[in-house]
Amino acid sequence: MAPNPTIMKAVEQLDYRVTVGDVAAQVGLNIHQAEQGLLVLASEVGGHLQVAESGDIAYLFPKNFRAILRNKSLKLQLQAWWEKVWAVLFYLIRISFGIFLLLSIVLMIVAIAFIVLSLKAGSDNDSDGGGGGGSRSGGGGGILFLPRLWIGPDLFWWFNPSYSHSNARSRRRNSRSKEEETQMNFLEAVFSFLFGDGNPNSNLEERRWQTIGTVIRNSGGAVAAEQIAPYLDELGESYQRESEDYMLPVLIRFDGRPEVSPSGDIVYHFPKLQTTAAKQNQQSVPAYLRAKLWQFSLASSNQIMLAIGLGSVNFVLALVLGSLLQGGEIAAQLGGFVVFVQLIYPLLLAYGVGFLAIPLLRYFWVQRKKKQIEAQNRERQKNAIALNQADQALQNKIAYAEQFAAQNVIREDNLVYSSEKDLLDQDLERKDQIDTEWERRLELGSTQNLDTNH
């Protein structure tokens, strides 16, 4: 079994000496998963077990345990290599959508110009008249104007990172505040416009359980359900809230148990989270779990408007090209390049439609998602307010939970066993301790006898 990366990170954050409760509270893992993960990691890297007089266990790890794992595991080396390769591949995938958009526009402009010029040249040859020459001259000017309009320099400065036009930069700086500045280039912004920038709450569950573990730790390992409610979702109907069913996942994850007060209130005791390898100070936690709102795109407003503009141009060009290629006669007549364009035309049209349709559908989905998140945030905030404005009954309940609060620190000086030391050395230390204790008792007995004789 491979070591859990989350547990490895927690061990580093906790200075390489931890208990199961330390790790579970730090990362929000299930107690049994944390215990199993620590055993696996200790076995793989040569960690040591330290047993206190109370019977509690601390795990001590070498500070270079990652290097030890890398040297032992080819799989971890390949995984680290793949992560680097994937970062490059994913970046290429991101910018490919913008590159394809630009190539699609250029390709269709060239194809349309080529078809129109070819047809115009053919009609001029057929007419073979002096008036036709004037017509050709005027028509040629109109045709050449289209490419110049679409691919002139005033367009491409938008996605050129080295563009240095001072007026353009000034307009961009004045159009948005410092907070709105983005590090995206245009090609990255196209991907962001199409597909967004990922789930802003991808680590919400991790944040949730980390915070709950910290709240329990701050409370000495014993809490009332109302102290945990601001960090949970969907607490259920009123009868489910009264029976506190929503605490069951918390009990399972952190190996807790309910305790009933004389007045019938239920509080929750987590003994495993009360044992720590080092003294734990109070850590700050948010009043409630606040999920981040989805955003349509992290690209700047100028980049989004440019993407919409180019997408619209791409769609219109696809319609114009489709009308010219309709029937297939022109492609058969001109051949070569036009035949190639006709073959890939379905792809060009699909990209043109999708480039505008996907962001439009995603926009409405994001709005609906934002409303859901806002409603969940308000519900958790309401639970936090109820906790801060606790009535006498809730205060009594929290006071009863405090009776179970404790912090058991496994110190170096109260160990009875450590796998870090040789067993023979520990037996000798134990024998010395026993001999010292017997000498102390003999001296004490002699003193007592002398006092009795006097």
Side-chain angles (χ1 to χ4, degrees), residues 149 283 382:
L149 173 65
Q283 299 182 32
K382 186 168 66 174

Side-chain angles (χ1 to χ4, degrees), residues 410-439:
I410 302 178
R411 300 189 305 274
E412 296 280 358
D413 56 1
N414 68 352
L415 299 178
V416 296
Y417 169 76
S418 174
S419 62
E420 184 181 11
K421 299 178 181 179
D422 186 83
L423 289 176
L424 179 59
D425 292 340
Q426 294 185 66
D427 288 341
L428 291 174
E429 287 183 8
R430 188 64 177 165
K431 182 177 181 300
D432 291 340
Q433 292 175 0
I434 294 173
D435 291 342
T436 302
E437 179 66 18
W438 274 108
E439 290 175 1

Side-chain angles (χ1 to χ4, degrees), residues 137-157:
S137 175
I143 294 166
L144 293 176
F145 174 74
L146 181 64
R148 291 180 60 197
L149 173 65
W150 300 89
I151 61 173
D154 288 337
L155 175 63
F156 282 101
W157 74 267

Side-chain angles (χ1 to χ4, degrees), residues 10 25 41 61 67 84 103 114 127 210-211 226 235 255 259 268 276 297 315-316 318 334 430 436 446 449 454:
L41 183 60
F61 295 93
K84 295 177 181 178
L103 291 177
F114 179 78
S127 61
Q210 285 178 351
T211 305
E226 288 80 358
L235 304 186
D255 199 19
E259 305 284 353
Y268 301 92
T276 176
S297 172
F315 178 68
V316 172
L334 299 179
R430 188 64 177 165
T436 302
S446 299
N449 290 334
H454 283 297

Side-chain angles (χ1 to χ4, degrees), residues 102-292:
L102 300 178
L103 291 177
S104 174
I105 291 175
V106 172
L107 179 64
M108 286 191 289
I109 288 176
V110 172
I112 291 171
F114 179 78
I115 292 171
V116 173
L117 285 171
S118 299
L119 293 177
K120 186 66 175 175
S123 65
D124 287 344
N125 290 335
D126 291 340
S127 61
D128 193 27
S135 173
R136 180 166 61 250
S137 175
I143 294 166
L144 293 176
F145 174 74
L146 181 64
R148 291 180 60 197
L149 173 65
W150 300 89
I151 61 173
D154 288 337
L155 175 63
F156 282 101
W157 74 267
W158 284 90
F159 47 85
N160 184 357
S162 60
Y163 183 77
S164 59
H165 195 290
S166 59
N167 291 335
R169 285 189 170 183
S170 175
R171 286 196 299 269
R172 282 191 291 171
R173 280 197 298 268
N174 294 333
S175 66
R176 61 191 182 217
S177 64
K178 197 71 174 176
E179 291 78 9
E180 294 174 329
E181 290 289 338
T182 176
Q183 298 299 319
M184 288 186 187
N185 59 47
F186 175 69
L187 297 179
E188 294 172 322
V190 168
F191 184 87
S192 176
F193 169 72
L194 282 171
F195 305 110
D197 303 280
N199 183 1
N201 297 305
S202 58
N203 66 337
L204 183 65
E205 286 304 305
E206 181 181 349
R207 287 170 50 206
R208 183 197 310 279
W209 292 113
Q210 285 178 351
T211 305
I212 291 175
T214 303
V215 168
I216 296 173
R217 266 289 175 85
N218 287 347
S219 300
V223 294
E226 288 80 358
Q227 292 174 273
I228 304 299
Y231 308 100
L232 296 174
D233 293 327
E234 300 178 1
L235 304 186
E237 303 297 334
S238 57
Y239 71 91
Q240 292 173 314
R241 293 174 66 103
E242 291 176 2
S243 62
E244 301 178 356
D245 292 344
Y246 57 86
M247 285 297 295
L248 289 175
V250 183
L251 292 174
I252 294 171
R253 179 172 287 267
F254 294 116
D255 199 19
R257 58 171 179 255
E259 305 284 353
V260 182
S261 71
S263 60
D265 292 326
I266 301 177
V267 299
Y268 301 92
H269 182 204
F270 300 86
K272 290 288 182 68
L273 297 188
Q274 293 177 323
T275 302
T276 176
K279 183 176 175 58
Q280 299 289 325
N281 298 320
Q282 293 277 324
Q283 299 182 32
S284 61
V285 292
Y288 64 98
L289 182 65
R290 183 177 180 82
K292 300 175 184 177

